[in-house]
Amino acid sequence: MPWHHKYIGNPVLSGVLNVLFRANIGDSHCGMRGFTRGIFDKMDLRSTGMEFASEFVIKAAQLDAKMTEIPITLWKDKRGRPPHLRSSRDGWRHLRFMLLYAPNWLFLLPGALLVCLGLAIVLWLLPGPRNISPRVVLDVHTMIFGVIFTLLGAQILSIGAFAKVFSYAERFDRGTVSLKRVLKRVTLETGLLVGGALTLGGFAGCAWVTWKWAASGFGPLQEVRWVLFWAMWLFLGIQIVFSSFFLSMLGISRGTYIGDYDLPK
C-alpha cells in the first residue's frame, strides 16, 4: 500500500466514516470481508464504484450489525498490472458518498450554526454600533452580514429537511423513529402558522418603519437597523411557508407525509 494511502487517505476517510456513522472501524477500505446472506440482503447496496467499500460499512452500522475486525496480511500484487485505484478521484468519491448519506452533518449542523451566528450578530448590533477597539467599530454593514448569515442558514436548514425526508424514503437512513416523531409534531399546518406569524410580524414592522419615514417627509432614513431586523423576519417567514409546502409535497410523493401517510417500514 502506498504511504499516502496507508498514513493519510485510509485513516482520514475511516475517521470521517466513524465520526459520521459511529461505525468504530479501524480500516473501512479493506477488500476482504465476510458477511451473512441475511445482512447483505438488508443492506440494499447501490453504489457501483470504489465507494462501495464505504457503503458496505455504513449500511452495516445503520443496521446495527455485529462487526468484528480480524487482522490479515496484505501481500503485494504480483500480477504486474498497473493499479486501478486513482487516489484523488476515488478518495473524493468516498468522501462525497459519506456526506450525501449524512444530511445532519452536511446540512442541518452548518445551517443551524449560521442561523445562530447571524441572529447573534443582528441582535447584538440592533441597539447601535459596537466598539471592538478604538479603531474598530461594527455597525450596520456588519449587521447586514448577520441578516445574510441568518437567511442563508435557514435556506440550508430547509434543504436539510428535504434531504432527511428523501433519505428516509429512499432508505438511505434506517433510523425512521426520530423522523416520525418530528413530523408528527411539525406538520404542514405548523409550518404555515410559524411562517405566517413571522411574515405578518415582519411586514407589520416594515410597515411601521415606512409610516415613520413617510411622517418625516421621506427624508433620510434613520431606522436602517429596524428595516434590516423586520425585513429579516419577513423573509424568514416567507421562506418557511414555501418550504413547508414543498416538504409536504415531497412527503406525499414519497409516502412519508405524517397524518395521511406513514414512513416506509
Side-chain angles (χ1 to χ4, degrees):
M1 182 184 298
W3 67 269
H4 54 285
H5 292 174
K6 184 176 182 180
Y7 298 108
I8 300 177
N10 198 1
V12 169
L13 291 175
S14 297
V16 171
L17 188 147
N18 288 328
V19 169
L20 298 183
F21 303 99
R22 301 178 182 178
N24 297 321
I25 293 295
D27 181 2
S28 62
H29 299 104
C30 177
M32 187 174 182
R33 298 177 181 180
F35 47 88
T36 64
R37 175 64 183 270
I39 198 66
F40 180 81
D41 291 338
K42 292 179 181 179
M43 285 182 181
D44 188 24
L45 301 172
R46 305 184 184 186
S47 57
T48 57
M50 297 296 296
E51 63 273 19
F52 175 83
S54 295
E55 182 184 13
F56 199 101
V57 179
I58 291 171
K59 293 290 183 65
Q62 290 177 341
L63 292 169
D64 291 327
K66 182 180 179 180
M67 293 183 285
T68 302
E69 291 185 288
I70 301 175
I72 64 171
T73 300
L74 179 64
W75 297 94
K76 185 176 181 179
D77 191 345
K78 297 181 179 180
R79 289 175 292 179
R81 64 176 178 83
H84 60 277
L85 179 64
R86 297 182 182 179
S87 303
S88 299
R89 183 202 66 178
D90 293 328
W92 164 243
R93 291 185 66 163
H94 280 284
L95 181 59
R96 177 186 65 183
F97 183 87
M98 287 188 285
L99 290 175
L100 293 177
Y101 263 69
N104 288 351
W105 290 87
L106 182 60
F107 298 108
L108 301 184
L109 181 59
L113 290 176
L114 276 175
V115 169
C116 293
L117 176 61
L119 286 176
I121 293 174
V122 170
L123 296 176
W124 185 51
L125 293 174
L126 186 60
R130 298 285 185 172
N131 295 322
I132 303 299
S133 69
R135 295 185 178 181
V136 179
V137 179
L138 301 183
D139 205 345
V140 175
H141 304 87
T142 306
M143 190 174 178
I144 292 174
F145 277 98
V147 173
I148 294 174
F149 290 159
T150 303
L151 297 178
L152 179 60
Q155 180 63 37
I156 296 174
L157 285 174
S158 301
I159 298 174
F162 307 151
K164 289 288 288 185
V165 172
F166 179 82
S167 66
Y168 282 125
E170 293 296 327
R171 301 185 185 278
F172 291 167
D173 195 333
R174 306 295 178 134
T176 58
V177 175
S178 60
L179 183 66
K180 285 183 177 181
R181 290 175 179 174
V182 171
L183 292 182
K184 283 180 179 179
R185 295 174 174 82
V186 184
T187 60
L188 170 62
E189 291 74 19
T190 304
L192 294 180
L193 287 174
V194 173
L198 292 178
T199 300
L200 291 176
F203 180 81
C206 291
W208 171 70
V209 174
T210 303
W211 178 81
K212 290 184 63 177
W213 185 38
S216 65
F218 294 103
L221 182 59
Q222 304 295 333
E223 304 291 344
V224 176
R225 298 177 190 280
W226 288 104
V227 170
L228 292 173
F229 179 77
W230 292 117
M232 178 187 70
W233 295 114
L234 173 63
F235 299 153
L236 276 177
I238 295 174
Q239 184 174 349
I240 291 174
V241 167
F242 285 98
S243 295
S244 299
F245 273 116
F246 182 74
L247 185 61
S248 181
M249 292 170 61
L250 181 63
I252 291 175
S253 66
R254 299 285 174 179
T256 55
Y257 181 71
I258 298 300
D260 296 325
Y261 301 87
D262 287 324
L263 288 165
K265 298 180 181 180

